[in-house]
């Protein structure tokens, strides 16, 4: 028997939804693949699907040793299991049968430091390692995800041809995959992608809230507005699916399904990590942080219901009662579109600056323009707008912030009046728009040459002798503020 010709090009272990779909995608692109899962029914399921979806070249394996040995050397094995311990267990189960030069690729949403630990651990056996962010959900995994592989460059080149065929393809812009960088950079980039996704979803939900509760738009109208927005500058996967959501009727009763959904948002942790990392790196990410806070507050459903009751009894008027009369619907819709777009630019500016700060700390040399490019297709934040970000960083790789890219700067200035109107209207109507407010405050703070931080410095120097710098001469200064203030009091007193 000619064993080598029967061997698979690649392997995949962990056949939950994402694993199955990615394995079928790889097989569909013509790369023979071996799949494995401890639970044998998962293997059978995947083999059946491969058969039914066009007799794809996929082989089911039922024990770890045979699985590993069924793959051509140097072996590349993708694992798609729950982040954390299950990854370590799977590596332990497989690596004893693997040989120097073989690679493990973790495709889960793993904390980047775990990847860096594993890179080190497996290197003792001569194994290579990639931590690869995979975005696009079930559909993306099957038909073309955005892939963010980081770690061993050699390991990347071993499977580059596969990844480039399996990834989403964007017209004139190639496959949505690139080598991200060393260490845990692939996981880190995926984490920030998810943080940006939190921000996008929050901003869209605020646009919905304002249009519904200030503008009085029906779900039917909302669906039409979002569909229309999806033909312009906001064109993106999230805007598109939002338009669809408003169209779905409730199968259990009258009305639309969206109105029957409990207003509590779930989360899995990557948004929290993004905000934690922003704080660690002293990078302001207020829009992403606001979206995380909003998920936490949404979870307090009972407390919120109680607060609504307590404050109503205390005399707080309902939103609708304070709604300013005579809303110009058409103008409101146009304003909200502009506010959403401008807020989004600020949110992406935060995410990109977080990536740059980490890249500098770790020496990853992240190419921000390339990251924007591979997010143009396949992933959840895919959007036409990312092409503009790509170009901004191509024009100037050292761009301090997207806000000062000449094109984005012009767009924000054009939209700022509408942006301020929407936020102002929402505030006076008592509709919280934490994401839009955070983005606007970020913009207004970043663009001001002088901030009231001088007063904070004076306070710090007064109570803690922390010293301050001056605008007109160099060096650090300390002042006996209290003594001087009391003395001048005496002087003023004497003058009176
Ligand atoms: C196999 O499937 C089970 C249940 O779906 C899952 O918990 C487990 O992590 C999978 N992976 C492996 C490598 O066995």
């Amino acid at each position: 028997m000619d064993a080598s010709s029967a061997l698979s090009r690649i392997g995949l272990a962990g056949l939950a939804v994402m694993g199955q779909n990615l394995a079928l995608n790889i097989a569909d692109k013509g790369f023979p693949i071996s799949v494995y899962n401890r639970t044998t029914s998962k293997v059978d399921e995947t083999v059946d699907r491969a058969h039914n979806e066009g007799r794809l070249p996929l082989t089911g394996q039922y024990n770890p040793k045979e699985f590993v040995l069924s793959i051509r050397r140097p072996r590349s094995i993708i694992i798609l299991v729950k982040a954390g311990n299950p990854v370590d267990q799977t590596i332990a189960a497989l690596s004893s049968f693997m040989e120097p030069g073989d690679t493990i690729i973790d495709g889960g949403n793993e904390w980047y430091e775990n990847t860096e630990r594993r890179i080190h651990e497996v290197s003792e056996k001569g194994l290579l390692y990639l931590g690869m962010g995979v975005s696009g959900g079930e559909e993306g995994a099957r038909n073309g995800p955005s892939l963010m592989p980081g770690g061993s460059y050699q390991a990347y080149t071993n499977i580059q041809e596969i990844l480039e065929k399996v990834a989403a393809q964007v017209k004139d812009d190639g496959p949505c995959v690139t080598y991200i960088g060393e260490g845990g950079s692939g996981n880190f980039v995926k984490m920030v992608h998810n943080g940006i996704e939190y921000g996008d979803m929050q901003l869209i939900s605020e646009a919905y809230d304002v249009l519904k509760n200030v503008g009085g738009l029906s779900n039917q109208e909302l669906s039409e507005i979002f569909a229309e927005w999806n033909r312009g500058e906001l064109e993106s996967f999230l805007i598109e699916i939002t338009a669809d959501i408003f169209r779905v009727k409730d199968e259990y009763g009258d009305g639309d399904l969206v109105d029957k959904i409990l207003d509590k948002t779930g989360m899995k942790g990557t948004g929290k990590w993004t905000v934690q990392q922003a704080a660690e790196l002293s990078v302001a990410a207020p829009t992403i942080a606001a979206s995380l806070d909003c998920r936490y507050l949404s979870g307090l459903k009972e407390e919120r219901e109680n607060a609504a009751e307590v404050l109503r009894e205390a005399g707080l008027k309902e939103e609708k009662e304070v709604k300013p009369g005579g809303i110009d619907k058409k103008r409101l819709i146009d304003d909200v579109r502009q506010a959403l777009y401008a807020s989004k630019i600020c949110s992406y500016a935060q995410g990109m600056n977080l990536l740059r700060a980490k890249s500098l700390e770790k020496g990853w040399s992240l190419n921000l323009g390339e990251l924007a490019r591979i997010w143009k297709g396949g992933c959840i934040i895919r959007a036409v707008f990312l092409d503009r970000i790509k170009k901004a960083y191509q024009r100037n790789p050292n761009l301090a912030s997207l806000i000062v890219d000449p094109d984005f700067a012009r767009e924000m200035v054009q939209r700022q009046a509408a942006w301020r109107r929407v936020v102002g209207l929402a505030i006076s109507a008592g509709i919280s728009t934490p994401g839009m407010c955070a983005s606007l405050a970020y913009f207004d703070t970043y663009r001001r040459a002088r901030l009231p931080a001088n007063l904070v410095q004076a306070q710090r120097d007064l109570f803690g002798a922390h010293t301050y710098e001056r605008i007109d001469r160099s060096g650090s200064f300390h002042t006996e503020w209290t003594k001087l203030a009391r003395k001048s009091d005496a002087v003023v007193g004497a003058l009176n």
Side-chain angles (χ1 to χ4, degrees):
M1 187 181 87
D2 178 6
S4 68
S5 65
L7 293 179
S8 296
R9 172 70 176 83
I10 189 167
L12 189 146
L15 298 171
V17 183
M18 289 294 282
Q20 275 192 25
N21 283 298
L22 189 61
L24 290 165
N25 182 355
I26 292 169
D28 212 356
K29 298 293 156 14
F31 300 101
I33 186 167
S34 295
V35 298
Y36 165 71
N37 199 101
R38 243 184 1 241
T39 315
T40 56
S41 61
K42 291 276 165 199
V43 180
D44 294 335
E45 223 176 89
T46 314
V47 169
D48 284 349
R49 279 188 65 188
H51 185 79
N52 296 333
E53 294 178 26
R55 299 172 175 276
L56 304 176
L58 179 146
T59 323
Q61 295 291 343
Y62 297 86
N63 80 62
K65 183 174 181 184
E66 280 168 28
F67 168 63
V68 171
L69 296 183
S70 74
I71 303 159
R72 200 174 86 195
R73 289 181 66 193
R75 302 180 182 94
S76 300
I77 299 179
I78 300 175
I79 57 180
L80 266 163
V81 298
K82 246 176 79 111
N85 263 337
V87 176
D88 290 304
Q89 285 160 14
T90 308
I91 292 171
L94 301 177
S95 63
S96 49
F97 309 112
M98 296 175 74
E99 294 165 85
D102 291 352
T103 299
I104 291 170
I105 302 133
D106 174 16
N109 270 330
E110 186 55 276
W111 172 237
Y112 83 99
E113 287 180 341
N114 284 343
T115 291
E116 302 201 329
R117 166 175 58 79
R118 289 173 189 137
I119 287 174
H120 181 73
E121 286 168 2
V122 304
S123 75
E124 283 161 13
K125 295 178 181 164
L127 300 181
L128 311 179
Y129 199 92
L130 288 170
M132 180 170 74
V134 179
S135 176
E138 195 178 332
E139 206 272 337
R142 179 65 184 84
N143 299 312
S146 177
L147 299 172
M148 295 155 248
S152 160
Y153 186 68
Q154 176 62 52
Y156 173 74
T157 57
N158 289 348
I159 53 164
Q160 187 175 356
E161 57 160 356
I162 302 179
L163 299 183
E164 288 180 351
K165 286 232 166 66
V166 161
Q169 309 290 320
V170 172
K171 196 170 163 285
D172 302 327
D173 232 352
C176 293
V177 60
T178 190
Y179 174 69
I180 302 291
E182 294 187 339
S185 60
N187 297 123
F188 194 90
V189 166
K190 173 65 191 334
M191 176 197 82
V192 175
H193 163 285
N194 286 21
I196 291 173
E197 176 185 314
Y198 274 48
D200 275 354
M201 294 170 78
Q202 175 65 28
L203 293 170
I204 291 172
S205 75
E206 292 173 15
Y208 155 61
D209 203 5
V210 171
L211 290 176
K212 179 187 163 99
N213 290 310
V214 180
L217 267 71
S218 66
N219 290 332
Q220 166 75 33
E221 289 172 302
L222 285 162
S223 173
E224 285 160 17
I225 295 306
F226 276 87
E228 187 188 310
W229 287 356
N230 198 42
R231 291 189 286 272
E233 65 194 10
L234 286 169
E235 180 184 342
S236 58
F237 172 71
L238 285 169
I239 295 286
E240 180 191 336
I241 64 167
T242 304
D244 287 342
I245 286 168
F246 290 120
R247 237 173 257 138
V248 176
K249 298 282 167 224
D250 179 16
E251 59 174 327
Y252 292 109
D254 290 341
D256 300 324
L257 181 54
V258 69
D259 296 323
K260 311 287 175 73
I261 296 178
L262 183 66
D263 49 332
K264 266 170 111 164
T265 313
M267 70 198 100
K268 289 192 175 156
T270 44
K272 181 173 86 180
W273 290 345
T274 305
V275 175
Q276 285 174 327
Q277 281 295 299
E280 287 293 337
L281 291 157
S282 307
V283 172
T287 311
I288 300 172
S291 62
L292 182 70
D293 288 341
C294 240
R295 290 194 182 197
Y296 293 149
L297 287 167
S298 81
L300 308 176
K301 176 72 172 171
E302 277 178 30
E303 279 186 46
R304 287 187 288 113
E305 282 172 338
N306 180 55
E309 186 60 27
V310 169
L311 290 161
R312 196 185 55 77
E313 278 167 16
L316 189 78
K317 292 273 191 291
E318 278 293 325
E319 287 142 19
K320 292 188 181 66
E321 295 168 41
V322 290
K323 186 163 59 184
I327 285 284
D328 179 346
K329 253 197 199 183
K330 210 167 170 272
R331 168 151 150 183
L332 179 69
I333 293 164
D334 198 53
D335 279 357
V336 171
R337 175 181 56 77
Q338 296 186 56
L340 182 51
Y341 187 77
S343 298
K344 204 171 137 100
I345 295 174
C346 286
S347 180
Y348 280 67
Q350 296 160 30
M352 293 318 245
N353 282 8
L354 171 54
L355 286 170
R356 182 183 7 238
K358 194 67 180 182
S359 177
L360 287 173
E361 183 200 76
K362 302 286 291 184
W364 284 337
S365 309
L366 295 181
N367 180 336
L368 299 181
E370 261 296 272
L371 298 183
R373 181 188 69 77
I374 66 167
W375 290 343
K376 279 180 65 182
C379 64
I380 304 297
I381 64 170
R382 63 184 182 259
V384 163
F385 160 78
L386 280 156
D387 191 61
R388 309 177 62 80
I389 298 184
K390 181 194 84 173
K391 291 196 174 115
Y393 284 111
Q394 279 175 346
R395 275 193 293 272
N396 178 6
N398 298 316
L399 191 63
S401 166
L402 289 176
I403 292 172
V404 294
D405 168 72
D407 281 11
F408 281 125
R410 200 175 320 111
E411 289 184 336
M412 302 196 75
V413 171
Q414 283 164 355
R415 285 158 187 75
Q416 67 155 339
W419 195 6
R420 292 181 199 286
R421 277 196 297 273
V422 170
V423 168
L425 196 59
I427 287 173
S428 50
I431 307 282
S432 56
T433 51
M436 287 187 185
C437 283
S439 275
L440 182 56
Y442 180 79
F443 175 72
D444 279 334
T445 306
Y446 186 70
R447 70 173 176 80
R448 290 179 68 205
R450 183 141 173 98
L451 288 173
N454 52 328
L455 182 60
V456 176
Q457 281 300 79
Q459 291 167 336
R460 294 177 68 241
D461 188 53
L462 183 150
F463 66 69
H466 294 298
T467 75
Y468 56 89
E469 291 175 287
R470 295 182 55 105
I471 54 175
D472 55 356
R473 62 192 67 198
S474 57
S476 57
F477 295 83
H478 170 62
T479 298
E480 295 292 330
W481 295 90
T482 310
K483 211 194 284 173
L484 290 174
R486 299 279 148 87
K487 201 196 286 167
S488 65
D489 246 8
V491 173
V492 173
L495 286 176
N496 285 341

